[in-house]
Amino acid sequence: MILKNFLPDRQVKSVLSIRPEELKKHGIRAIITDLDNTLVEWDRPSAPPKLVQWFQDMQEHHIKITIVSNNNEMRVKTFADPLGIPFLFRARKPLGKAFRKALAIMNVKKEETVVIGDQLLTDVLGGNRSGFYTILVVPVAQSDGFATKLNRMIERRIMGWFRKKGYLTWED
């Protein structure tokens, strides 16, 4: 069924609920994460203290992170550089090229990597089609840019169908 490409392996309310110990237990050594509305609001330039701590926790557990965003270089660089996190911008998700590039940057295998994002049509679809374990997070902000608003309308229909079929339930 084609809709299964949009179904995440897991759903969480926030990236902050994803713990390094849990990832390591499942053989995960790396994270490919979206930026806008996954880590922070799309208009927030830097990481708040709790998120900085989350990045440090991952680093202490030797879990590598690369930010893969469809946004422009200045936006992603402004956020990622102070944290020392590698990034890819204008990634053209859901296409697979940026996901493969992120694997090469971190020098890890796809089976050791999780894709985290807030959108079914870019992050989850791209991650699933490329064979990654995918985690969908609730968007950090209620507002979106124009292109994302279009995606959200389509996503609401898909998510409604998933909920009706019992495929999608948010963790508390």
Side-chain angles (χ1 to χ4, degrees):
M1 166 181 52
I2 196 139
L3 277 180
K4 287 271 186 175
N5 282 328
F6 297 99
L7 187 64
D9 293 299
R10 183 172 166 212
Q11 313 93 43
V12 297
K13 296 232 175 182
S14 162
V15 292
L16 301 177
S17 65
I18 301 168
R19 305 304 319 142
E21 302 84 2
E22 182 188 343
L23 294 176
K24 291 203 83 152
K25 201 166 45 181
H26 292 92
I28 301 296
R29 296 181 39 227
I31 295 170
I32 294 172
T33 182
D34 178 45
L35 171 57
D36 295 322
N37 280 345
T38 296
L39 298 175
V40 294
E41 299 84 353
W42 62 273
D43 56 353
R44 180 190 285 263
S46 59
K50 281 182 177 174
L51 188 60
V52 171
Q53 184 59 57
W54 182 82
F55 282 120
Q56 288 170 348
D57 290 348
M58 292 297 172
Q59 194 173 26
E60 284 167 16
H61 283 83
H62 308 287
I63 293 176
K64 300 172 181 182
I65 299 175
T66 297
I67 295 171
V68 175
S69 173
N70 284 347
N71 212 325
N72 65 61
E73 182 178 14
M74 185 53 93
R75 162 65 180 136
V76 188
K77 184 179 180 58
T78 300
F79 181 88
D81 274 0
L83 299 165
I85 296 173
F87 64 90
L88 298 168
F89 61 95
R90 287 199 190 105
R92 301 180 63 209
K93 294 178 291 184
L95 300 178
K97 186 177 181 182
F99 294 106
R100 290 189 297 276
K101 211 171 189 180
L103 286 179
I105 288 170
M106 296 185 286
N107 192 27
V108 293
K109 296 184 189 109
K110 161 187 322 191
E111 302 76 37
E112 305 170 314
T113 309
V114 65
V115 172
I116 302 171
D118 69 305
Q119 288 190 66
L120 294 179
L121 298 182
T122 55
D123 310 306
V124 173
L125 176 61
N128 283 346
R129 283 181 55 217
S130 295
F132 291 94
Y133 186 87
T134 53
I135 300 176
L136 179 68
V137 300
V138 175
V140 178
Q142 291 308 305
S143 62
D144 288 305
F146 178 73
T148 306
K149 281 183 183 164
L150 245 63
N151 282 355
R152 296 269 187 233
M153 286 171 31
I154 297 165
E155 283 180 1
R156 275 194 286 280
R157 309 258 331 233
I158 295 170
M159 288 176 92
W161 188 85
F162 282 154
R163 275 194 200 93
K164 210 162 61 181
K165 296 286 185 192
Y167 290 134
L168 198 62
T169 53
W170 291 109
E171 287 182 359
D172 282 330

